[in-house]
Amino acid sequence: MKRILIDYKKLNHDVTSLLIETYPYGYGDEDIIAFRNVNGEFIEAVELQTADTLYLIKISKSLSHFIANFDENIAEGIEAIIDESIEGPSLELNIEEENEDEKGFD
């Protein structure tokens, strides 16, 4: 089994979906693995296992924010796509108004 240490921003779509399914409400202290990498840096990560790979996904504030807001962001994206397909592309009209004197009004 491969072991990969990766930042969540570099995950492909399938692994990202699995991450959200595995931690739908975020992760807790019991889910965190702490270790030092080969450079001696302290790393905290959450585990995510597929059939052939064990991902260690680095923890950051943005990861917890990403998980917490994932459903909301997806819903907003879908809503925008639906709105655009219903309304069609927006066109901007540039109509210049004439002065009342030019229209022949007294």
mmCIF file of all heavy atoms in Angstrom, residues 59-98:
data_model
loop_
_atom_site.group_PDB
_atom_site.id
_atom_site.type_symbol
_atom_site.label_atom_id
_atom_site.label_comp_id
_atom_site.label_asym_id
_atom_site.label_seq_id
_atom_site.Cartn_x
_atom_site.Cartn_y
_atom_site.Cartn_z
ATOM 1 N N ILE A 59 -3.019 18.939 7.940
ATOM 2 C CA ILE A 59 -4.028 19.760 8.588
ATOM 3 C C ILE A 59 -3.589 21.216 8.575
ATOM 4 O O ILE A 59 -2.441 21.539 8.824
ATOM 5 C CB ILE A 59 -4.244 19.313 10.043
ATOM 6 C CG1 ILE A 59 -4.903 17.956 10.056
ATOM 7 C CG2 ILE A 59 -5.069 20.327 10.815
ATOM 8 C CD1 ILE A 59 -5.143 17.403 11.426
ATOM 9 N N SER A 60 -4.546 22.061 8.298
ATOM 10 C CA SER A 60 -4.335 23.506 8.383
ATOM 11 C C SER A 60 -5.683 24.123 8.701
ATOM 12 O O SER A 60 -6.714 23.456 8.643
ATOM 13 C CB SER A 60 -3.798 24.049 7.058
ATOM 14 O OG SER A 60 -4.767 23.877 6.043
ATOM 15 N N LYS A 61 -5.690 25.388 9.051
ATOM 16 C CA LYS A 61 -6.963 26.064 9.311
ATOM 17 C C LYS A 61 -7.838 26.039 8.074
ATOM 18 O O LYS A 61 -9.045 25.906 8.150
ATOM 19 C CB LYS A 61 -6.723 27.504 9.762
ATOM 20 C CG LYS A 61 -6.153 27.616 11.144
ATOM 21 C CD LYS A 61 -5.976 29.061 11.531
ATOM 22 C CE LYS A 61 -5.343 29.153 12.909
ATOM 23 N NZ LYS A 61 -5.123 30.537 13.318
ATOM 24 N N SER A 62 -7.209 26.158 6.914
ATOM 25 C CA SER A 62 -7.994 26.189 5.687
ATOM 26 C C SER A 62 -8.631 24.831 5.387
ATOM 27 O O SER A 62 -9.679 24.771 4.775
ATOM 28 C CB SER A 62 -7.157 26.673 4.512
ATOM 29 O OG SER A 62 -5.972 25.951 4.398
ATOM 30 N N LEU A 63 -8.041 23.719 5.841
ATOM 31 C CA LEU A 63 -8.662 22.405 5.645
ATOM 32 C C LEU A 63 -9.951 22.311 6.436
ATOM 33 O O LEU A 63 -10.979 21.894 5.915
ATOM 34 C CB LEU A 63 -7.713 21.266 6.041
ATOM 35 C CG LEU A 63 -8.340 19.861 6.031
ATOM 36 C CD1 LEU A 63 -8.860 19.508 4.645
ATOM 37 C CD2 LEU A 63 -7.350 18.819 6.512
ATOM 38 N N SER A 64 -9.937 22.715 7.688
ATOM 39 C CA SER A 64 -11.161 22.644 8.487
ATOM 40 C C SER A 64 -12.228 23.578 7.925
ATOM 41 O O SER A 64 -13.408 23.243 7.893
ATOM 42 C CB SER A 64 -10.881 22.955 9.958
ATOM 43 O OG SER A 64 -10.303 24.223 10.095
ATOM 44 N N HIS A 65 -11.806 24.741 7.421
ATOM 45 C CA HIS A 65 -12.739 25.679 6.800
ATOM 46 C C HIS A 65 -13.312 25.068 5.510
ATOM 47 O O HIS A 65 -14.504 25.171 5.237
ATOM 48 C CB HIS A 65 -12.038 27.001 6.503
ATOM 49 C CG HIS A 65 -12.902 28.027 5.868
ATOM 50 N ND1 HIS A 65 -13.892 28.690 6.553
ATOM 51 C CD2 HIS A 65 -12.952 28.483 4.604
ATOM 52 C CE1 HIS A 65 -14.503 29.515 5.731
ATOM 53 N NE2 HIS A 65 -13.951 29.410 4.533
ATOM 54 N N PHE A 66 -12.464 24.407 4.734
ATOM 55 C CA PHE A 66 -12.883 23.766 3.490
ATOM 56 C C PHE A 66 -13.940 22.699 3.765
ATOM 57 O O PHE A 66 -14.981 22.647 3.104
ATOM 58 C CB PHE A 66 -11.658 23.141 2.807
ATOM 59 C CG PHE A 66 -11.974 22.300 1.613
ATOM 60 C CD1 PHE A 66 -12.306 22.894 0.406
ATOM 61 C CD2 PHE A 66 -11.915 20.923 1.679
ATOM 62 C CE1 PHE A 66 -12.575 22.122 -0.709
ATOM 63 C CE2 PHE A 66 -12.186 20.142 0.569
ATOM 64 C CZ PHE A 66 -12.518 20.739 -0.624
ATOM 65 N N ILE A 67 -13.711 21.842 4.750
ATOM 66 C CA ILE A 67 -14.666 20.788 5.079
ATOM 67 C C ILE A 67 -15.966 21.387 5.597
ATOM 68 O O ILE A 67 -17.054 20.992 5.191
ATOM 69 C CB ILE A 67 -14.072 19.803 6.119
ATOM 70 C CG1 ILE A 67 -12.950 18.994 5.470
ATOM 71 C CG2 ILE A 67 -15.145 18.879 6.681
ATOM 72 C CD1 ILE A 67 -12.176 18.118 6.432
ATOM 73 N N ALA A 68 -15.868 22.358 6.477
ATOM 74 C CA ALA A 68 -17.059 22.960 7.073
ATOM 75 C C ALA A 68 -17.933 23.659 6.043
ATOM 76 O O ALA A 68 -19.159 23.669 6.162
ATOM 77 C CB ALA A 68 -16.656 23.946 8.169
ATOM 78 N N ASN A 69 -17.331 24.231 5.021
ATOM 79 C CA ASN A 69 -18.085 25.003 4.037
ATOM 80 C C ASN A 69 -18.267 24.291 2.702
ATOM 81 O O ASN A 69 -18.798 24.878 1.763
ATOM 82 C CB ASN A 69 -17.390 26.347 3.801
ATOM 83 C CG ASN A 69 -17.416 27.187 5.046
ATOM 84 O OD1 ASN A 69 -18.457 27.380 5.643
ATOM 85 N ND2 ASN A 69 -16.262 27.671 5.456
ATOM 86 N N PHE A 70 -17.868 23.034 2.613
ATOM 87 C CA PHE A 70 -17.914 22.323 1.347
ATOM 88 C C PHE A 70 -19.329 22.241 0.782
ATOM 89 O O PHE A 70 -19.564 22.606 -0.367
ATOM 90 C CB PHE A 70 -17.336 20.909 1.505
ATOM 91 C CG PHE A 70 -17.273 20.151 0.217
ATOM 92 C CD1 PHE A 70 -16.263 20.402 -0.688
ATOM 93 C CD2 PHE A 70 -18.223 19.194 -0.095
ATOM 94 C CE1 PHE A 70 -16.193 19.712 -1.887
ATOM 95 C CE2 PHE A 70 -18.163 18.508 -1.293
ATOM 96 C CZ PHE A 70 -17.143 18.760 -2.183
ATOM 97 N N ASP A 71 -20.280 21.782 1.572
ATOM 98 C CA ASP A 71 -21.657 21.640 1.096
ATOM 99 C C ASP A 71 -22.224 22.984 0.670
ATOM 100 O O ASP A 71 -22.900 23.091 -0.346
ATOM 101 C CB ASP A 71 -22.553 21.005 2.168
ATOM 102 C CG ASP A 71 -22.242 19.531 2.369
ATOM 103 O OD1 ASP A 71 -21.713 18.905 1.430
ATOM 104 O OD2 ASP A 71 -22.520 19.009 3.460
ATOM 105 N N GLU A 72 -21.969 24.017 1.458
ATOM 106 C CA GLU A 72 -22.473 25.354 1.145
ATOM 107 C C GLU A 72 -21.881 25.863 -0.164
ATOM 108 O O GLU A 72 -22.585 26.407 -1.012
ATOM 109 C CB GLU A 72 -22.129 26.307 2.285
ATOM 110 C CG GLU A 72 -22.662 27.707 2.113
ATOM 111 C CD GLU A 72 -22.295 28.574 3.306
ATOM 112 O OE1 GLU A 72 -22.509 28.132 4.447
ATOM 113 O OE2 GLU A 72 -21.805 29.682 3.068
ATOM 114 N N ASN A 73 -20.580 25.672 -0.355
ATOM 115 C CA ASN A 73 -19.924 26.130 -1.586
ATOM 116 C C ASN A 73 -20.434 25.376 -2.804
ATOM 117 O O ASN A 73 -20.649 25.960 -3.862
ATOM 118 C CB ASN A 73 -18.406 25.978 -1.474
ATOM 119 C CG ASN A 73 -17.811 26.934 -0.477
ATOM 120 O OD1 ASN A 73 -18.396 27.948 -0.139
ATOM 121 N ND2 ASN A 73 -16.642 26.603 0.032
ATOM 122 N N ILE A 74 -20.639 24.067 -2.669
ATOM 123 C CA ILE A 74 -21.164 23.266 -3.775
ATOM 124 C C ILE A 74 -22.581 23.713 -4.105
ATOM 125 O O ILE A 74 -22.929 23.896 -5.265
ATOM 126 C CB ILE A 74 -21.134 21.761 -3.434
ATOM 127 C CG1 ILE A 74 -19.694 21.262 -3.350
ATOM 128 C CG2 ILE A 74 -21.930 20.951 -4.446
ATOM 129 C CD1 ILE A 74 -18.916 21.375 -4.644
ATOM 130 N N ALA A 75 -23.414 23.930 -3.086
ATOM 131 C CA ALA A 75 -24.791 24.368 -3.312
ATOM 132 C C ALA A 75 -24.829 25.719 -4.020
ATOM 133 O O ALA A 75 -25.622 25.922 -4.944
ATOM 134 C CB ALA A 75 -25.552 24.436 -1.988
ATOM 135 N N GLU A 76 -23.974 26.645 -3.605
ATOM 136 C CA GLU A 76 -23.917 27.962 -4.254
ATOM 137 C C GLU A 76 -23.465 27.838 -5.702
ATOM 138 O O GLU A 76 -24.003 28.506 -6.587
ATOM 139 C CB GLU A 76 -22.972 28.893 -3.488
ATOM 140 C CG GLU A 76 -23.530 29.371 -2.172
ATOM 141 C CD GLU A 76 -22.518 30.168 -1.358
ATOM 142 O OE1 GLU A 76 -21.397 30.414 -1.854
ATOM 143 O OE2 GLU A 76 -22.850 30.543 -0.226
ATOM 144 N N GLY A 77 -22.520 26.977 -5.966
ATOM 145 C CA GLY A 77 -22.039 26.774 -7.331
ATOM 146 C C GLY A 77 -23.116 26.184 -8.229
ATOM 147 O O GLY A 77 -23.314 26.613 -9.363
ATOM 148 N N ILE A 78 -23.842 25.195 -7.710
ATOM 149 C CA ILE A 78 -24.930 24.579 -8.475
ATOM 150 C C ILE A 78 -26.039 25.591 -8.724
ATOM 151 O O ILE A 78 -26.579 25.685 -9.819
ATOM 152 C CB ILE A 78 -25.465 23.329 -7.749
ATOM 153 C CG1 ILE A 78 -24.401 22.230 -7.784
ATOM 154 C CG2 ILE A 78 -26.771 22.854 -8.366
ATOM 155 C CD1 ILE A 78 -24.710 21.037 -6.926
ATOM 156 N N GLU A 79 -26.374 26.368 -7.695
ATOM 157 C CA GLU A 79 -27.419 27.389 -7.831
ATOM 158 C C GLU A 79 -27.048 28.412 -8.904
ATOM 159 O O GLU A 79 -27.880 28.811 -9.711
ATOM 160 C CB GLU A 79 -27.636 28.084 -6.491
ATOM 161 C CG GLU A 79 -28.812 29.027 -6.464
ATOM 162 C CD GLU A 79 -29.027 29.590 -5.072
ATOM 163 O OE1 GLU A 79 -29.228 28.791 -4.142
ATOM 164 O OE2 GLU A 79 -29.000 30.824 -4.939
ATOM 165 N N ALA A 80 -25.809 28.821 -8.946
ATOM 166 C CA ALA A 80 -25.362 29.791 -9.953
ATOM 167 C C ALA A 80 -25.473 29.207 -11.353
ATOM 168 O O ALA A 80 -25.896 29.885 -12.291
ATOM 169 C CB ALA A 80 -23.923 30.225 -9.671
ATOM 170 N N ILE A 81 -25.130 27.932 -11.506
ATOM 171 C CA ILE A 81 -25.235 27.277 -12.812
ATOM 172 C C ILE A 81 -26.694 27.184 -13.241
ATOM 173 O O ILE A 81 -27.039 27.469 -14.384
ATOM 174 C CB ILE A 81 -24.587 25.870 -12.770
ATOM 175 C CG1 ILE A 81 -23.070 26.004 -12.624
ATOM 176 C CG2 ILE A 81 -24.943 25.061 -14.013
ATOM 177 C CD1 ILE A 81 -22.365 24.713 -12.305
ATOM 178 N N ILE A 82 -27.575 26.821 -12.318
ATOM 179 C CA ILE A 82 -29.002 26.714 -12.627
ATOM 180 C C ILE A 82 -29.565 28.080 -12.990
ATOM 181 O O ILE A 82 -30.281 28.217 -13.980
ATOM 182 C CB ILE A 82 -29.772 26.093 -11.442
ATOM 183 C CG1 ILE A 82 -29.395 24.613 -11.307
ATOM 184 C CG2 ILE A 82 -31.281 26.251 -11.631
ATOM 185 C CD1 ILE A 82 -29.908 23.951 -10.054
ATOM 186 N N ASP A 83 -29.242 29.098 -12.205
ATOM 187 C CA ASP A 83 -29.733 30.447 -12.485
ATOM 188 C C ASP A 83 -29.288 30.910 -13.870
ATOM 189 O O ASP A 83 -30.065 31.491 -14.621
ATOM 190 C CB ASP A 83 -29.243 31.452 -11.429
ATOM 191 C CG ASP A 83 -29.949 31.280 -10.099
ATOM 192 O OD1 ASP A 83 -30.979 30.569 -10.048
ATOM 193 O OD2 ASP A 83 -29.466 31.851 -9.099
ATOM 194 N N GLU A 84 -28.048 30.646 -14.209
ATOM 195 C CA GLU A 84 -27.527 31.074 -15.504
ATOM 196 C C GLU A 84 -28.226 30.345 -16.645
ATOM 197 O O GLU A 84 -28.552 30.936 -17.662
ATOM 198 C CB GLU A 84 -26.025 30.843 -15.579
ATOM 199 C CG GLU A 84 -25.409 31.384 -16.857
ATOM 200 C CD GLU A 84 -23.898 31.243 -16.854
ATOM 201 O OE1 GLU A 84 -23.271 31.695 -15.886
ATOM 202 O OE2 GLU A 84 -23.387 30.679 -17.829
ATOM 203 N N SER A 85 -28.508 29.046 -16.451
ATOM 204 C CA SER A 85 -29.148 28.299 -17.528
ATOM 205 C C SER A 85 -30.610 28.704 -17.694
ATOM 206 O O SER A 85 -31.143 28.676 -18.790
ATOM 207 C CB SER A 85 -29.041 26.790 -17.284
ATOM 208 O OG SER A 85 -29.775 26.425 -16.133
ATOM 209 N N ILE A 86 -31.271 29.120 -16.622
ATOM 210 C CA ILE A 86 -32.655 29.563 -16.703
ATOM 211 C C ILE A 86 -32.737 30.950 -17.329
ATOM 212 O O ILE A 86 -33.541 31.196 -18.217
ATOM 213 C CB ILE A 86 -33.321 29.575 -15.305
ATOM 214 C CG1 ILE A 86 -33.496 28.136 -14.814
ATOM 215 C CG2 ILE A 86 -34.659 30.296 -15.342
ATOM 216 C CD1 ILE A 86 -33.945 28.029 -13.375
ATOM 217 N N GLU A 87 -31.907 31.844 -16.869
ATOM 218 C CA GLU A 87 -31.943 33.225 -17.336
ATOM 219 C C GLU A 87 -31.223 33.413 -18.663
ATOM 220 O O GLU A 87 -31.493 34.356 -19.391
ATOM 221 C CB GLU A 87 -31.314 34.153 -16.292
ATOM 222 C CG GLU A 87 -32.089 34.199 -14.997
ATOM 223 C CD GLU A 87 -31.366 34.976 -13.925
ATOM 224 O OE1 GLU A 87 -30.308 35.572 -14.224
ATOM 225 O OE2 GLU A 87 -31.847 34.992 -12.792
ATOM 226 N N GLY A 88 -30.323 32.545 -18.971
ATOM 227 C CA GLY A 88 -29.528 32.712 -20.183
ATOM 228 C C GLY A 88 -28.432 33.725 -19.931
ATOM 229 O O GLY A 88 -28.319 34.300 -18.845
ATOM 230 N N PRO A 89 -27.631 33.967 -20.926
ATOM 231 C CA PRO A 89 -26.537 34.932 -20.732
ATOM 232 C C PRO A 89 -27.110 36.337 -20.557
ATOM 233 O O PRO A 89 -28.127 36.687 -21.139
ATOM 234 C CB PRO A 89 -25.719 34.821 -22.015
ATOM 235 C CG PRO A 89 -26.620 34.168 -23.001
ATOM 236 C CD PRO A 89 -27.634 33.374 -22.237
ATOM 237 N N SER A 90 -26.456 37.103 -19.742
ATOM 238 C CA SER A 90 -26.939 38.458 -19.508
ATOM 239 C C SER A 90 -26.335 39.390 -20.549
ATOM 240 O O SER A 90 -25.178 39.282 -20.910
ATOM 241 C CB SER A 90 -26.564 38.924 -18.096
ATOM 242 O OG SER A 90 -25.175 38.952 -17.966
ATOM 243 N N LEU A 91 -27.178 40.280 -21.049
ATOM 244 C CA LEU A 91 -26.739 41.264 -22.019
ATOM 245 C C LEU A 91 -26.859 42.639 -21.404
ATOM 246 O O LEU A 91 -27.822 42.931 -20.707
ATOM 247 C CB LEU A 91 -27.611 41.200 -23.286
ATOM 248 C CG LEU A 91 -27.596 39.889 -24.050
ATOM 249 C CD1 LEU A 91 -28.582 39.946 -25.209
ATOM 250 C CD2 LEU A 91 -26.199 39.606 -24.591
ATOM 251 N N GLU A 92 -25.902 43.453 -21.672
ATOM 252 C CA GLU A 92 -25.924 44.805 -21.149
ATOM 253 C C GLU A 92 -26.279 45.751 -22.286
ATOM 254 O O GLU A 92 -25.651 45.746 -23.336
ATOM 255 C CB GLU A 92 -24.539 45.150 -20.583
ATOM 256 C CG GLU A 92 -24.597 46.104 -19.443
ATOM 257 C CD GLU A 92 -23.214 46.318 -18.879
ATOM 258 O OE1 GLU A 92 -22.689 45.393 -18.231
ATOM 259 O OE2 GLU A 92 -22.673 47.412 -19.090
ATOM 260 N N LEU A 93 -27.352 46.515 -22.114
ATOM 261 C CA LEU A 93 -27.766 47.467 -23.133
ATOM 262 C C LEU A 93 -27.181 48.827 -22.814
ATOM 263 O O LEU A 93 -27.227 49.271 -21.676
ATOM 264 C CB LEU A 93 -29.290 47.558 -23.194
ATOM 265 C CG LEU A 93 -30.017 46.265 -23.561
ATOM 266 C CD1 LEU A 93 -31.518 46.481 -23.507
ATOM 267 C CD2 LEU A 93 -29.598 45.786 -24.929
ATOM 268 N N ASN A 94 -26.680 49.481 -23.817
ATOM 269 C CA ASN A 94 -26.102 50.798 -23.629
ATOM 270 C C ASN A 94 -26.952 51.781 -24.437
ATOM 271 O O ASN A 94 -26.706 52.020 -25.608
ATOM 272 C CB ASN A 94 -24.645 50.801 -24.094
ATOM 273 C CG ASN A 94 -23.953 52.088 -23.747
ATOM 274 O OD1 ASN A 94 -24.506 52.925 -23.029
ATOM 275 N ND2 ASN A 94 -22.748 52.256 -24.245
ATOM 276 N N ILE A 95 -27.993 52.300 -23.795
ATOM 277 C CA ILE A 95 -28.913 53.214 -24.456
ATOM 278 C C ILE A 95 -28.644 54.612 -23.936
ATOM 279 O O ILE A 95 -28.656 54.853 -22.744
ATOM 280 C CB ILE A 95 -30.378 52.827 -24.167
ATOM 281 C CG1 ILE A 95 -30.622 51.408 -24.661
ATOM 282 C CG2 ILE A 95 -31.329 53.820 -24.802
ATOM 283 C CD1 ILE A 95 -31.968 50.855 -24.283
ATOM 284 N N GLU A 96 -28.417 55.518 -24.854
ATOM 285 C CA GLU A 96 -28.172 56.896 -24.464
ATOM 286 C C GLU A 96 -29.482 57.652 -24.469
ATOM 287 O O GLU A 96 -30.297 57.499 -25.374
ATOM 288 C CB GLU A 96 -27.197 57.559 -25.439
ATOM 289 C CG GLU A 96 -25.816 56.952 -25.379
ATOM 290 C CD GLU A 96 -24.859 57.640 -26.317
ATOM 291 O OE1 GLU A 96 -25.124 58.791 -26.714
ATOM 292 O OE2 GLU A 96 -23.837 57.009 -26.649
ATOM 293 N N GLU A 97 -29.711 58.429 -23.441
ATOM 294 C CA GLU A 97 -30.927 59.230 -23.363
ATOM 295 C C GLU A 97 -30.715 60.529 -24.114
ATOM 296 O O GLU A 97 -29.647 61.126 -24.080
ATOM 297 C CB GLU A 97 -31.281 59.528 -21.906
ATOM 298 C CG GLU A 97 -31.699 58.295 -21.143
ATOM 299 C CD GLU A 97 -32.154 58.626 -19.737
ATOM 300 O OE1 GLU A 97 -32.655 59.746 -19.535
ATOM 301 O OE2 GLU A 97 -32.011 57.769 -18.871
ATOM 302 N N GLU A 98 -31.773 60.959 -24.800
ATOM 303 C CA GLU A 98 -31.716 62.230 -25.515
ATOM 304 C C GLU A 98 -32.172 63.336 -24.590
ATOM 305 O O GLU A 98 -32.980 63.116 -23.693
ATOM 306 C CB GLU A 98 -32.636 62.188 -26.728
ATOM 307 C CG GLU A 98 -32.225 61.151 -27.753
ATOM 308 C CD GLU A 98 -33.173 61.117 -28.945
ATOM 309 O OE1 GLU A 98 -33.894 62.109 -29.155
ATOM 310 O OE2 GLU A 98 -33.185 60.099 -29.630
#
